[in-house]
Amino acid sequence: MVKISSIIFISISLFLSIILPLILAIILHKKLRFVWKAVFVGGLIFLVFQILTRIPLLSYVQKTFWCQAFYTSYPLIYGFLLALSAGLFEEIGRYIGFRFFLKKHLDWENGIAYGIGHGGLEAIFIGTTFLNDLIISVLINTGKVPPQIPQSIISTFVNATPLMFLIGGIERLFAFVAQIGLSIIVLY
């Protein structure tokens, strides 16, 4: 059985990742009166520059022999390069979004809106893992686990410290706020 506290923390992380960005977009739109176009451009730029460009490119490069040898020999440098690539793709994407798609809306309110779209879509993409975790946890507790789910995954859910499920949601909240801040920096 998965602990009830684990299921509660998974649900909180799911809320922080998927529902909260949507609620914040609505609340901040009423307060700041930004244009919804900025939210959509932020989400679209994240989709194009991360999901459709960077991640497939990294998937291709990571399959090469030289990349695997580099990762094995220099894991810290490799991690730094992965982080650097994320920053380059995202910041160049932000610049393009502001420069070409939001050139008539270059004020701080729309910078926040852009960040909500960018960080919100990222949170939703990552938040889907919490939805999977919740489904698996419920299946385990009801005894209806499909045979495709390995015993090792079931053991992980049953034996996990409940707090581990909350940490991901808290990280998403901090990342969401950071994405808004980075959007403001690129805007200015």
Side-chain angles (χ1 to χ4, degrees):
M1 290 278 299
V2 177
K3 298 174 187 83
I4 296 299
S5 54
S6 292
I7 293 174
I8 290 169
F9 288 160
I10 292 169
S11 301
I12 291 170
S13 290
L14 182 63
F15 173 81
L16 291 174
S17 298
I18 296 177
I19 308 299
L20 186 63
L22 299 173
I23 291 171
L24 282 175
I26 293 167
I27 291 171
L28 289 177
H29 178 261
K30 288 181 181 181
K31 290 195 178 284
L32 303 177
R33 295 289 174 209
F34 54 71
V35 294
W36 282 106
K37 178 182 178 182
V39 175
F40 294 117
V41 168
L44 181 65
I45 293 293
F46 171 78
L47 181 70
V48 169
F49 279 79
Q50 281 292 345
I51 305 301
L52 300 178
T53 306
R54 178 180 168 263
I55 292 174
L57 183 63
L58 285 176
S59 294
Y60 173 76
V61 170
Q62 288 172 339
K63 293 176 186 171
T64 63
F65 172 76
W66 65 268
C67 184
Q68 292 173 1
F70 185 80
Y71 170 77
T72 304
S73 301
Y74 307 102
L76 290 176
I77 295 172
Y78 181 76
F80 172 77
L81 291 174
L82 283 178
L84 181 64
S85 72
L88 286 173
F89 275 78
E90 288 193 14
E91 303 323 311
I92 290 169
R94 280 186 176 93
Y95 175 78
I96 289 170
F98 286 124
R99 177 83 167 101
F100 297 105
F101 299 108
L102 295 172
K103 54 186 163 189
K104 294 181 182 174
H105 306 287
L106 298 177
D107 52 17
W108 69 270
E109 292 93 344
N110 290 306
I112 289 174
Y114 181 97
I116 289 171
H118 188 107
L121 190 60
E122 178 185 47
I124 289 168
F125 267 105
I126 295 172
T128 57
T129 60
F130 299 121
L131 181 59
N132 292 337
D133 291 349
L134 185 61
I135 291 168
I136 290 170
S137 297
V138 170
L139 289 174
I140 290 169
N141 284 359
T142 59
K144 298 179 181 176
V145 180
Q148 314 76 297
I149 298 179
Q151 187 60 41
S152 60
I153 290 179
I154 294 170
S155 298
T156 300
F157 276 86
V158 171
N159 298 323
T161 304
L163 191 58
M164 293 306 297
F165 293 109
L166 184 61
I167 290 172
I170 293 170
E171 183 273 337
R172 282 293 89 213
L173 183 61
F174 283 114
F176 180 67
V177 171
Q179 294 291 12
I180 293 171
L182 290 168
S183 297
I184 294 292
I185 289 171
V186 172
L187 170 69
Y188 282 106

